[in-house]
Amino acid sequence: MTRSTTDEAAAPPLPSSPKERRRLREAKSLSEEQVAAAVGVTRATVRSWETGRTTPRGRKRALYAQLIAPGPKPRPKRKPKSPPAPPVKGPEVAPVLEVVHEAEATPAPGTAPAPEPAVAHEAAVAPAPKAAPAPEATPAPPPTPVSPPAPASPPAPPEPEPGTPRLSPDEAFDALYAHAAPGLVRQTYLLTGRRSLARESVERAFQLAWHRWPEVAVDRDPVGWVRAAAYEYAMSPWHRLRRVHRHPDAPPTEPARRALFEALLELPPAYRRTLLLYDGVGLDLPETAAETEASTPAAAGRLEVARAAVAERVPELSAASPAEQSELLHDRLGGLARAEHVPSPPPARAVRTGSENKARLWTRAAIAFAALLIGATALTLHTAPTHYEQPLSPPERVGGVPPRGGPQKLTPQDLKLQKSLKEQLAHGPERLVPRIP
């Protein structure tokens, strides 16, 4: 998983008493805002750590322990000849792009791999508050209280030291990909139970990250950015329509791992993702809620329901406390991800080339569609009539009209008889004289 055990082992132990944590922080003249900005959390989270409501976890625990750890006694320093630098106003958090460019060089053959960009960023930020004990060496006036950084604009990236090699965007992306891609493939496999889908999801997420590299490079947690993109693609419901990803892969043969694998797949996607982020990856509850787009109480409720469902299949979790359940699930999930044969992700250069080819294809498709739309519009304007002609309606037989009244028109026979009557004298019948027999 992405929890760095090397950093946790190298970090000083964290005091278990919340009051001791607050005392150490105040002894180093650090405010809650400064610690929150350096660790990458909110002020309310730091306050909850110092009141005992929550406990830091993962790499934030290691960085928080480094910040409040009592430093060595300062040695007397010579008075500098040049005027002193202006006082530091607060621990500035450099963008990850500069950290990746400066701190993460490509490892030589036979050397250890480059650290995670977010971890390297935190390690670069952690030593910043240690400059506070410097004024104790000179008995001059007491140090002025450190004010929190202004949240109005992001701090400017630090100037690279002369002689420091500066990585190009391609090299920075390759370093991030080489560090985070194998672990993300295993995490996505636990989330989906499908090896090919896990590999495809991580590849698509990194293609999107390269497409938006200026945004990802300055993100506080670039691995979290890519992880959220991979999880969103892997949990898309449209994959059910694909025959390849319709059914999960075969479960492990070992009974304990098989039970854990089946218990994970029986959980709803949102509950499974919450359990994997909190107990598997090692995120805090507010970070888990933010990545799953839920409120903190809702994330806590999902986590409790998911643990209860998994405890029914894994008897060891039933009698354990919440802290023991978290550690046990972290070990079991990590062992399950490492034991299963998960396909390795493609090379970083192939991912960058695929992202560029896809962007080029979509650009050409958009240009072709715009040209087609413009051509169709021009053809329509050219062939359309300039004026409107009302069409003639077809003839129809009209019924129900009454006949015309008055004398009818004379026929030719009637006209001939009328003419003859006008021309000839009318001779009436002769008088009939009766005869007497």
Side-chain angles (χ1 to χ4, degrees), residues 13 45 66-67 91 114 149 197 205 220 311 315 335 337 352 364 366 371 381-382 420-421 433:
T45 303
Q66 291 179 1
L67 286 176
L197 180 59
R220 184 183 296 272
R352 288 190 284 105
R364 292 177 179 176
L381 293 177
H382 179 71
S420 63
L421 290 175
V433 179

Side-chain angles (χ1 to χ4, degrees), residues 72-144:
K73 296 182 180 180
R75 299 179 181 179
K77 297 182 180 180
R78 298 179 182 179
K79 185 176 182 181
K81 297 181 181 180
S82 58
V88 182
K89 294 184 178 181
E92 297 184 353
V93 181
V96 180
L97 177 60
E98 297 296 334
V99 176
V100 172
H101 284 177
E102 299 174 9
E104 289 190 10
T106 305
T111 59
E116 182 180 354
V119 177
H121 168 225
E122 295 170 352
V125 177
K130 293 183 179 180
E136 299 179 1
T138 59
T144 57

Side-chain angles (χ1 to χ4, degrees), residues 161-175:
E161 298 180 0
T164 304
R166 190 180 186 89
L167 298 181
S168 63
D170 298 353
E171 296 173 345
F173 176 83
D174 294 351

